[in-house]
Structures are given as C-alpha cells and as structure tokens.
Amino acid sequence: GRKIITVSAHREEPAPGINTTSGETGTVQLYPNPNNGSFTLEIPGNPASIKVIVTDLAGRTMDVKNSTDRTILFDISTYASGTYLLNIFADDKVYSRKVVKD
C-alpha cells in the first residue's frame, strides 16, 4: 500500500515594522520601517567591512556609508518622503532592502 505523509511548515513572522532579508548566516533587520527619517540597520554575523549605498527609485545615489559596526544608524530626515533602496555589501554577501520615509 501507499503511505500518506502530511508535512506542515510554520513560518514565524517578524514583528510589525521589522523587515528582514534572509542571508546564508542570518537576517538583515531594518527598523522602524516606514519611518520619519531615522532608522537602524543590523547586519547578521560579524562582517569585517560593511558598505551601504542608499539610492532613490530612479537609481540616484543619495548616500554611501562604510562601517565596521554591524549596527548602523541612518538619518534620512532631509530626504523627500518616499521609498529608497539600500544595497548592503557585508564581506562577500550582498543584501537589498527597501526603506520607506513618511
């Protein structure tokens, strides 16, 4: 005869306002999102070097931050309201995030 196997998967949802992107060794956290111009970015693991490029949706570079600290504070309060893209380079890993400024 045949055996029927039922598989169920449970996925934990992050807390509201915390957006995550899975990497091989962890998760990039960005909070709060949306925000009023100040937000925190947390990079997983212990990367030796981090570079974050902030662009608008038209692809214009708004800011570039280099850091060795895995927790990076951003102030985009002078930017127009809207959606911005973060391209995060942490050692050999690349992450992309969207952040919304109210």
Side-chain angles (χ1 to χ4, degrees):
R2 287 183 156 163
K3 287 186 180 178
I4 296 175
I5 299 172
T6 303
V7 178
S8 63
H10 174 73
R11 183 174 154 240
E12 278 190 38
E13 293 294 324
I18 296 179
N19 292 308
T20 58
T21 299
S22 294
E24 287 176 24
T25 57
T27 312
V28 169
Q29 293 191 12
L30 188 159
Y31 56 88
N33 193 18
N35 62 69
N36 61 4
S38 295
F39 65 92
T40 301
L41 188 66
E42 288 185 12
I43 312 298
N46 193 16
S49 68
I50 299 166
K51 180 178 187 177
V52 181
I53 301 171
V54 182
T55 62
D56 64 13
L57 293 180
R60 289 182 293 245
T61 299
M62 306 295 289
D63 192 14
V64 177
K65 278 196 187 237
N66 291 289
S67 178
T68 54
D69 188 347
R70 58 181 293 272
T71 301
I72 306 167
L73 305 177
F74 282 83
D75 179 3
I76 61 169
S77 57
T78 59
Y79 296 12
S81 295
T83 301
Y84 295 89
L85 303 176
L86 305 179
N87 290 303
I88 305 148
F89 303 89
D91 291 341
D92 59 343
K93 293 183 175 49
V94 179
Y95 306 92
S96 290
R97 297 293 307 111
K98 283 185 183 174
V99 61
V100 177
K101 179 185 181 278
D102 286 335

